[in-house]
């Protein structure tokens, strides 16, 4: 059905522009960034985490592609990190492009990701999801993720 292919530089640049803007909006919507500062803060975070782009050590970026015919339907990015209980994979981004949503690509990509993570010798996958992103939360629960913590906020002004 799908495969995870190492992201090309062209695909990386396209994704980066979309993802930086989307992350800025998500952080502003959730109240973590002021709207007027969100885009720059997002750019700064991406630059800190991916200082060498695709060549950044321990960062894995894949295009999600269909097999026949070959079409890029999204992307997934995770890192190999040292957690409190040992090495783990941390998912920074899973994006299924709008035209391809609700076709099972996200679920399939998450299952293929598990294979990649096992190949690296990691046995835990973590991620963060914004509380207002109900479709992502539903996907992660569907593929077996459990809630580890919930951060709640209330705006008073």
């Amino acid at each position: 059905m799908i495969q995870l292919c190492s992201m090309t530089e062209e695909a990386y640049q396209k994704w980066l522009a979309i993802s930086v803007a989307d992350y800025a909006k998500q952080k502003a919507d959730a109240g973590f960034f002021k709207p007027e500062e969100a885009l720059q803060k997002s750019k700064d975070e991406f630059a800190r985490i991916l200082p060498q782009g695709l060549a950044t050590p321990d960062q894995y970026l894949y295009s999600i592609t269909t097999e026949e015919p070959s079409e890029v339907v999204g992307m997934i990015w995770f890192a190999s990190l040292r957690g409190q209980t040992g090495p783990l994979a941390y998912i920074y981004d899973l994006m299924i492009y709008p035209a391809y949503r609700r076709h099972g690509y996200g679920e399939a990509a998450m299952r293929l990701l598990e294979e990649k993570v096992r190949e690296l010798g990691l046995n835990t996958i973590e991620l963060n999801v914004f509380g207002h992103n109900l479709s992502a939360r539903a996907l992660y629960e569907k593929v077996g993720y459990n809630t580890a913590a919930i951060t709640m906020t209330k705006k008073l002004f």
Side-chain angles (χ1 to χ4, degrees):
M1 178 177 171
I2 66 160
Q3 52 194 356
L4 301 182
C5 301
S6 294
M7 192 178 281
T8 65
E9 185 64 32
E10 179 182 346
Y12 173 77
Q13 293 302 325
K14 177 182 172 186
W15 160 79
L16 187 63
I18 294 167
S19 195
V20 165
D22 183 60
Y23 185 67
K25 181 182 182 329
Q26 296 284 337
K27 292 287 266 193
D29 288 351
F32 294 114
F33 289 167
K34 292 179 183 178
E36 64 275 12
E37 299 172 351
L39 186 58
Q40 186 58 53
K41 285 188 173 199
S42 179
K43 287 177 183 178
D44 292 347
E45 280 196 35
F46 275 76
R48 179 182 56 79
I49 298 168
L50 292 167
Q52 299 170 38
L54 284 173
T56 303
D58 299 322
Q59 303 290 328
Y60 303 88
L61 292 101
Y62 295 98
S63 292
I64 303 166
T65 62
T66 57
E67 292 176 0
E68 296 282 332
S70 181
E71 290 183 78
V72 177
V73 299
M75 65 74 55
I76 193 163
W77 165 31
F78 75 95
S80 174
L81 302 175
R82 182 90 181 140
Q84 292 188 19
T85 60
L88 61 89
Y90 185 85
I91 300 172
Y92 280 103
D93 198 7
L94 166 65
M95 181 185 301
I96 303 299
Y97 300 129
Y100 300 100
R101 292 180 184 159
R102 305 271 186 249
H103 297 284
Y105 295 126
E107 181 178 350
M110 292 297 289
R111 301 223 185 266
L112 287 175
L113 173 74
E114 291 177 14
E115 293 175 24
K116 297 282 187 191
V117 167
R118 281 189 197 99
E119 289 171 8
L120 292 170
L122 309 172
N123 62 11
T124 302
I125 303 172
E126 292 183 0
L127 58 85
N128 183 51
V129 62
F130 291 106
H132 62 267
N133 193 341
L134 300 178
S135 60
R137 290 173 59 189
L139 168 64
Y140 301 138
E141 289 172 1
K142 183 177 182 179
V143 296
Y145 285 70
N146 299 306
T147 301
I150 298 174
T151 301
M152 299 176 77
T153 62
K154 179 179 180 179
K155 286 292 208 185
L156 299 177
F157 50 91

